[in-house]
Amino acid sequence: MPRLLSAARSELGAVAALLIVAGGLLAFLHVSDEVAEGDTRAFDLAVLKALRLPGDPNSLIGPKWLHLAATDITALGSVTVLGLIVVLALALMLCLKRWSEALVVLVGAGGGVAISQGLKQLFGRERPDLVYRAVEAANPSFPSGHAMLSAVVFLTLGALAARFAPLKRIKALALGAAVVLSVLVGASRIYLGVHWTSDVLAGWSLGAAWAMACWVAAWAWERRFGAPAISPRGTNAP
């Protein structure tokens, strides 16, 4: 037991990531089961109605600037914007010859898209009625692709940045920014009426689990085959 506790303390990041993977998968399975049974319908509809003016499902609550801000924020979770972020991140890593990190980002983003689209076709859930939608949306509703893919991309990049950041406050900033961006994107999908709340909860859960699974795989590869590809000083490790 003392050896196990010592190992856990020395690899706290990996332990935390594994816990997120397990918790995310369990949360997704629970939400998906509730959605399949139709048990989330009343809750999802109540949330949508609470975000609309009484008796007018076409009108969002809140000031006009909030509507515009939500539209801008939701674009951060689109395939186009996330694709550009991934391409730029890959270009940077390849220029610095950080092959393992580039592979993690590529597999994470590509796998996230494949998982999201596959589950959408499997569940085939209808989106909220058109009267609730403030922006256009296509494809089935469950899980939220914006919520899932933003969690995958931002958390993967945040975890990689935190892994090699020299200061704790920089690690906290990287991870905190990733979480905040993911939460804002998912919340905007609910507010704009293009997703049910359960869609977004499932997207967050599965996205976080997949991002951390990719991170753990990279960590295990590093432990098995050699030193980190990046040192805290930003140079290639010997």
Side-chain angles (χ1 to χ4, degrees):
M1 183 59 70
R3 289 182 180 179
L4 289 175
L5 291 175
S6 177
R9 284 194 296 268
S10 65
E11 300 297 348
L12 189 58
V15 173
L18 286 172
L19 290 175
I20 293 173
V21 172
L25 288 176
L26 288 175
F28 173 78
L29 290 174
H30 175 71
V31 174
S32 62
D33 183 63
E34 294 291 308
V35 168
E37 297 291 333
D39 295 337
T40 65
R41 175 70 181 181
F43 169 74
D44 286 332
L45 190 56
V47 172
L48 274 184
K49 290 182 176 179
L51 296 172
R52 301 297 182 275
L53 294 178
D56 186 4
N58 235 340
S59 301
L60 292 164
I61 63 171
K64 184 66 175 179
W65 65 263
L66 183 59
H67 309 168
L68 297 175
T71 303
D72 292 337
I73 289 171
T74 207
L76 295 175
S78 67
V79 172
T80 301
V81 174
L82 290 177
L84 288 173
I85 293 173
V86 168
V87 168
L88 291 173
L90 287 174
L92 175 61
M93 293 173 188
L94 292 176
C95 287
L96 296 174
K97 297 183 179 180
R98 292 168 179 171
W99 317 118
S100 59
E101 288 79 14
L103 183 60
V104 170
V105 173
L106 183 60
V107 171
V113 171
I115 293 170
S116 173
Q117 292 302 312
L119 289 173
K120 281 179 176 291
Q121 298 305 317
L122 177 64
F123 283 90
R125 190 184 194 189
E126 293 293 331
R127 290 181 183 269
D129 294 337
L130 285 172
V131 70
Y132 290 106
R133 302 185 205 173
V135 294
E136 293 294 326
N139 300 323
S141 189
F142 185 89
S144 168
H146 278 62
M148 179 177 174
L149 295 179
S150 63
V152 169
V153 173
F154 294 138
L155 289 178
T156 298
L157 294 177
L160 287 174
R163 172 70 172 165
F164 300 105
L167 301 175
K168 289 184 178 180
R169 60 177 176 269
I170 298 178
K171 297 176 185 288
L173 175 62
L175 290 174
V179 171
V180 169
L181 286 172
S182 301
V183 169
L184 288 176
V185 170
S188 72
R189 303 304 282 173
I190 300 171
Y191 181 72
L192 294 172
V194 290
H195 273 296
W196 306 105
T197 301
S198 52
D199 298 336
V200 172
L201 293 176
W204 280 334
S205 300
L206 193 57
W210 177 247
M212 291 301 98
C214 292
W215 186 92
V216 169
W219 171 84
W221 179 273
E222 172 191 310
R223 294 280 295 183
R224 175 65 178 82
F225 294 104
I230 306 174
S231 72
R233 293 171 294 179
T235 58
N236 287 342

